[in-house]
Structure formats: structure tokens, C-alpha cells
Amino acid sequence: MMDALSVVSQLRDLASEPQNRDVIVQDEGCLPGLVLFLDHKDPEVLFATLQTLRYLAELPPNIPIMKNELGMMVSLESLMAREGVSVDITALAQEVYDILCAPANPVRRTPETQRRKKSQFFINSSNKKAKSVTLHIQGLDSSDQRGLCEEALLKVKGVISFTFQMASKRCTVRIRSDLPTESLASAIAATKVLSAQQVVKNEAGEEVFIPLSSSGVEVQQNTAIPDYLPEEEENQESEVDRAISRTTAKDDSNGSWLSSAASFLTKTFYW
């Protein structure tokens, strides 16, 4: 059974991979549905929606399409002015709004690419057991803070391994593919002195920080040393300081999940 949070969370995870961003925006149902979710009452849905839009805006040709989407800018303005939402949501809404408002060079697009379409969609291979994420950790200034971070990550069920780059306040974490990245942020925030953002690379190869919600996320605790997966399960890059590892992908020519999600998004006007 689909629900708003599960759909937008899956869409966010797909949007985190650069090769998916054009397809999501071009799809006839996903972008209008995300606009609807900007009026949702659940803060987790709001934050995940904004994260998705932030990822999509990393592809420059997407920006004018997103800006001109009916209700997009009005909904962002309304969200920024809404009372009772968290500072994280307001700040991320402002960031997305500013990106869409920024002047950009016009991109020539053919009528074929301008038309909304249902096309091939890339999704992580179902047999992929692990993935790597890179976190920028605010407060990671000494060995004491590193020790706190290590203890926090070791408690999270699904964490396989991690390495630190202290000079850049980075931690590259290898986790099971079904573990939400927000679980890492929540565990790190529980130290009370550290906070985490995800590091990704945009289309220009520049590193950007993606805020992660650390409130209201349930973290499953480890009761033993985490299981280590064999390295062949993941096609990792050899660069230690790589901002984010590439994940394997496959064509979903039927677009079954995307079609279902788009249908859910466009038909769900009330919650």
C-alpha cells in the first residue's frame, strides 16, 4: 500500500542519483505531485519533498521547468511563511526557492525533450545489498568528537563500515541499501554536539550539502557487531575522498513503479 511518505521518500532516493533527475521532471505526474506535497501537513513528507526538489534542481535544465510548474513558487512561498514548521524545513524551502529564482542561461531544448513523457527510469538494482554515503559532520574537531561519532554509528543497525577524513570533517559510511540516510543523521544528532549533512556532487562536479532530518526518525539499534558484506557486492570507487559512490542502475523500461507513484501523486489531493 502506497502512502505519501513512502512514495516521496523513494522518489527522493531516486532523485539523489544524477541520471534520474531529467526523467523525474519530464514525467507527466511526478512534478505536479511534488507541488501538492508542499501543502502536506506531515513535516516528514514536507522535508522529503523539499529534499527531492533540491536534488532535481541540481540539473540546470530542470530549473526553468520546475519554476514554471503550476503552483510551485506559490507553494514554496506559502511554506516559507507557514507558522509551526521547523527551521530545517523553512531553510530548505528558502534554498530551493532561491535556486529556482536565480538567473540562468537559457537551455535550448527540442520539442521532443520539452514534452512531458513516460520514459525509461533508472532504479537501484534490487540485489544490491550495500551503498556508500558521505557525511559532512559539524563539530568533528577532535579525537573525542570522533569517538562520539564512532559510538553513535556503531549503534545503528545496518551500518557496515565507516572511515573518517578529519581534515574535511567527513565520514564515508557503508550501509545496507535499505537503511535511510536520515537514520545516520539522527544517531549523530543524538550525541548533542554533532550534526550531519549528506555530501553529493552536482552535474558540474561541485560538492553540495543536502540537509538531513534528524528528528522523528526511528533508529534501529545494533545488538552485536555489524555484519560485513563482501566487497564484490558493491562496485565502489577507489578514491577515498570521493563525495559519493556511484550505484549500479538498470533500465526499468516498463516504468511500473514510476507510473504507480505518479498516479498516486496526481490523484492524492486530500490527506
Side-chain angles (χ1 to χ4, degrees):
M1 175 68 70
M2 282 189 172
D3 60 70
L5 183 58
S6 65
V7 169
V8 75
S9 295
Q10 180 70 31
L11 204 54
R12 176 200 60 205
D13 292 344
L14 293 167
S16 70
E17 298 187 25
Q19 72 267 29
N20 293 334
R21 293 169 186 166
D22 177 65
V23 179
I24 293 173
V25 168
Q26 294 295 329
D27 185 84
E28 61 186 10
C30 287
L31 200 56
L34 289 170
V35 173
L36 293 176
F37 278 164
L38 289 174
D39 293 324
H40 206 282
K41 303 302 180 184
D42 186 341
E44 290 188 63
V45 173
L46 284 175
F47 196 78
T49 300
L50 290 168
Q51 286 179 309
T52 305
L53 293 174
R54 180 66 179 84
Y55 280 128
L56 296 177
E58 288 300 321
L59 185 64
N62 283 349
I63 292 177
I65 301 173
M66 295 169 66
K67 182 178 181 180
N68 293 326
E69 180 64 40
L70 182 64
M72 175 70 76
M73 304 306 288
V74 172
S75 294
L76 286 170
E77 291 172 354
S78 176
L79 184 54
M80 288 187 290
R82 188 189 302 183
E83 296 182 357
V85 298
S86 69
V87 175
D88 288 343
I89 289 176
T90 303
L92 189 52
Q94 182 70 61
E95 184 177 353
V96 173
Y97 183 87
D98 290 343
I99 291 172
L100 298 186
C101 286
N105 294 327
V107 178
R108 299 185 68 180
R109 300 176 70 89
T110 65
E112 175 64 25
T113 59
Q114 286 178 330
R115 187 171 63 249
R116 289 271 172 83
K117 59 183 181 296
K118 286 182 172 19
S119 62
Q120 292 185 339
F121 201 76
F122 297 94
I123 187 167
N124 284 340
S125 175
S126 59
N127 64 357
K128 187 172 180 60
K129 294 183 179 180
K131 63 183 178 180
S132 293
V133 297
T134 296
L135 303 175
H136 176 81
I137 303 176
Q138 190 64 34
L140 190 64
D141 301 317
S142 69
S143 58
D144 289 339
Q145 278 75 34
R146 172 174 173 162
L148 285 174
C149 189
E150 289 175 346
E151 290 178 9
L153 291 174
L154 284 171
K155 292 177 181 177
V156 181
K157 186 175 182 180
V159 169
I160 301 166
S161 64
F162 48 82
T163 57
F164 289 88
Q165 297 87 45
M166 294 295 291
S168 57
K169 299 183 180 182
R170 301 286 174 86
C171 180
T172 301
V173 190
R174 190 162 178 245
I175 60 177
R176 289 191 175 275
S177 59
D178 57 353
L179 178 67
T181 308
E182 286 79 8
S183 295
L184 304 178
S186 182
I188 291 171
T191 64
K192 306 298 184 184
V193 294
L194 303 172
S195 61
Q197 292 178 297
Q198 186 175 3
V199 183
V200 301
K201 284 191 174 183
N202 62 19
E203 295 298 319
E206 301 166 333
E207 292 184 353
V208 295
F209 295 166
I210 303 296
L212 297 170
S213 176
S214 59
S215 59
V217 179
E218 182 180 354
V219 180
Q220 290 187 298
Q221 298 288 309
N222 254 331
T223 57
I225 297 175
D227 296 329
Y228 280 74
L229 297 179
E231 291 301 320
E232 61 266 23
E233 294 293 351
E234 181 182 16
N235 182 24
Q236 289 184 303
E237 302 254 347
S238 59
E239 305 168 36
V240 174
D241 292 327
R242 177 78 173 168
I244 187 168
S245 67
R246 291 196 182 123
T247 56
T248 56
K250 65 177 181 179
D251 291 349
D252 180 8
S253 56
N254 294 326
S256 57
W257 185 91
L258 182 59
S259 298
S260 299
S263 176
F264 176 89
L265 289 166
T266 53
K267 291 179 180 178
T268 308
F269 288 90
Y270 304 100
W271 298 275

